[in-house]
């Protein structure tokens, strides 16, 4: 089967680790012919190009800066990308007929590309819904509700759902939200297809973990609570900083590793407050971050308290993979905290509730984490392995 994957994520190799790379590698390993269309932002100075690497075809399309960019350039770039992708596909993949077109949100602006492939090749279209846009932008004040841009994006969102043969949602709350707010969608084409990975085994001795901590000047005698990943407005960084400032437990140490639009704000806060119970590191290579996470004790997930959409951050999988109990501090609409608690993998609190957060920190800092760790591995293997996503997609086509 010929598979076309459209994404805003910059993918250079399916041998890298990530929810999309793992899934595409699975397709390749099962004998399918995979073509990836991925952006290369203008800041990198690379022209549109086509190559075959690691057994898959990769079409890099030169775009405006759309990740970690100013909201105006990001908006224009997101709107322009479907035309850039369409031109590139017509030029570089005109001789290949696709059986499946697979794509993820963001963005919601692939409709013309998908329609073209469906009409040309009679391909099956499968949406991996990873973000509910534009509502998420409205929730955090980045778009004005019912404003011009909001209306434009809303129309594109409706069109994307309409042309998708199947919509795979990250969690039950995601699926319920989509159907409730889009009653015109046939419920039979909506299913839960969660973020999934192909896990690796990382086993470090206590001495090795101690050495890793010493390398980054992290206390070896405290419970380390780590937050790793994107640091933007959706992540609710204000409550993250409030948590650090408000935690009085002397056995707790916070480690923040990441980058994003809010990183300068966080860095400024660290420079001003010089917290004795926390350390901030800018983004690390995946391998180095994995080592650091493996040497930590507890994972943290933060989401802005104003979200109406049920986000489901993929960083949960990294924590489960490394057997790290999780504290989720989120809005009341996502079900990620419910899933964590139900499966005995950690604790949930509402973002903004510092009293509940302190209690959760105190609990996990003082408890034996062995049972939590075992539950993390069980949840990962029961629900979030890449074979699950692959089989769900294949069943829709057969």
């Amino acid at each position: 089967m010929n598979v076309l994957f459209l994404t805003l994520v910059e993918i250079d190799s399916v041998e890298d680790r990530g929810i999309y790379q793992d899934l595409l590698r699975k397709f390749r390993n099962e004998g399918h012919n995979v073509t990836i269309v991925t952006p290369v932002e203008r800041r990198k100075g690379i022209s549109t190009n086509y190559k075959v690497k690691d057994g898959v075809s990769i079409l890099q399309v030169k775009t405006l800066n759309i990740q970690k960019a100013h909201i105006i350039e990001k908006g224009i770039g997101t709107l322009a990308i479907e035309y850039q992708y369409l031109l590139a596909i017509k030029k570089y993949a005109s001789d290949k007929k696709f059986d499946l077109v697979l794509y993820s949100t963001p963005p919601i602006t692939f409709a013309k590309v998908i329609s073209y492939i469906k009409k040309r090749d009679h391909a099956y279209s499968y949406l991996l819904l990873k973000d509910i846009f534009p509502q998420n932008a409205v929730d955090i004040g980045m778009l004005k509700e019912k404003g011009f841009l909001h209306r434009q994006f809303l129309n594109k969102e409706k069109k994307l759902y309409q042309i998708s043969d199947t919509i795979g949602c990250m969690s039950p709350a995601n699926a319920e939200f989509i159907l409730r707010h889009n009653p015109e969608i046939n419920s039979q084409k909506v299913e839960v297809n969660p973020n999934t990975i192909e896990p690796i085994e990382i086993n470090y001795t206590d001495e090795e973990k101690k050495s890793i901590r010493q390398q980054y000047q992290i206390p070896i005698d405290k419970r380390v609570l780590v937050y790793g990943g994107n640091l933007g407005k959706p992540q609710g960084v204000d409550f993250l900083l409030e948590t650090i400032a408000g935690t009085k437990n002397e056995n707790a140490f916070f480690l923040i590793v990441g980058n994003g639009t809010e990183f300068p704000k966080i860095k400024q806060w660290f420079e001003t407050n010089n917290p004795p119970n926390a350390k901030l590191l800018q983004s690390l290579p995946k391998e180095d971050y994995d080592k650091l996470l493996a040497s930590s004790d507890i994972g943290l997930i933060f989401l802005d308290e104003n979200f109406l959409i049920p986000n489901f951050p993929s960083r949960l999988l990294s924590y489960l993979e490394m057997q790290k109990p999780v504290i989720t501090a989120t809005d009341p609409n996502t079900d990620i905290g419910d899933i964590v608690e139900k499966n005995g993998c950690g604790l949930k609190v509402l973002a903004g509730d510092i009293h509940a957060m302190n209690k959760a920190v105190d609990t996990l800092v003082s408890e034996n984490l062995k049972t939590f760790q075992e539950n993390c591995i069980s949840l990962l293997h029961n629900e979030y392995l890449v074979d699950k996503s692959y089989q769900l997609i294949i069943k829709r086509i057969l």
Side-chain angles (χ1 to χ4, degrees), residues 4 6 82-83 85-98 101 103 110-123 125 159 163:
L4 178 67
L6 309 172
E82 67 178 335
Y83 299 100
Y85 273 32
L86 190 55
L87 287 172
I89 289 169
K90 287 180 177 180
K91 180 177 180 179
Y92 292 96
S94 60
D95 60 342
K96 188 176 291 186
K97 182 178 181 180
F98 296 102
V101 55
Y103 44 98
F110 282 155
K112 284 185 171 60
V113 185
I114 298 158
S115 295
Y116 171 76
I117 297 298
K118 289 189 71 171
K119 183 177 181 180
R120 189 192 74 174
D121 301 342
H122 304 290
S125 56
K159 178 64 175 177
I163 65 172

Side-chain angles (χ1 to χ4, degrees), residues 353-369:
D353 188 342
I354 191 63
H355 175 73
M357 190 64 179
N358 283 335
K359 186 176 179 181
V361 170
D362 287 343
T363 298
L364 289 188
V365 165
S366 62
E367 284 198 15
N368 186 312
L369 301 181

Side-chain angles (χ1 to χ4, degrees), residues 54-104:
D54 301 317
V56 304
S57 301
I58 300 178
L59 174 54
Q60 288 185 312
V61 181
K62 184 178 180 180
T63 67
L64 294 175
N65 297 324
I66 46 182
Q67 304 287 357
K68 299 180 176 66
H70 187 277
I71 184 65
I72 295 177
E73 181 172 11
K74 184 183 182 77
I76 295 173
T78 301
L79 288 171
I81 198 168
E82 67 178 335
Y83 299 100
Q84 295 167 323
Y85 273 32
L86 190 55
L87 287 172
I89 289 169
K90 287 180 177 180
K91 180 177 180 179
Y92 292 96
S94 60
D95 60 342
K96 188 176 291 186
K97 182 178 181 180
F98 296 102
D99 304 290
L100 167 67
V101 55
L102 193 63
Y103 44 98
S104 62

Side-chain angles (χ1 to χ4, degrees), residues 5 24 82-83 116 122 241 263 284 305 318 326 350 368 385:
F5 180 63
L24 296 171
E82 67 178 335
Y83 299 100
Y116 171 76
H122 304 290
L241 299 178
F263 183 84
L284 295 172
E305 61 186 20
S318 297
V326 184
L350 285 177
N368 186 312
L385 295 187

Side-chain angles (χ1 to χ4, degrees), residues 213 222-228 249 251-256 289 292-302 318-320 322-328 345-347 357 360-369 372-373 376:
R213 289 197 188 187
K222 298 183 184 297
R223 283 273 171 93
V224 176
L225 300 95
V226 62
Y227 178 96
N249 192 314
N251 292 318
F253 187 87
F254 294 88
L255 175 62
I256 304 175
Y289 172 69
L292 201 50
L293 180 56
S295 70
S296 302
D297 300 297
I298 298 161
L300 298 172
I301 292 175
F302 284 81
S318 297
Y319 298 152
L320 298 180
M322 298 291 180
Q323 303 178 46
K324 306 304 171 190
V326 184
I327 299 176
T328 67
C345 298
L347 302 171
M357 190 64 179
V361 170
D362 287 343
T363 298
L364 289 188
V365 165
S366 62
E367 284 198 15
N368 186 312
L369 301 181
F372 286 104
Q373 292 166 345
C376 286

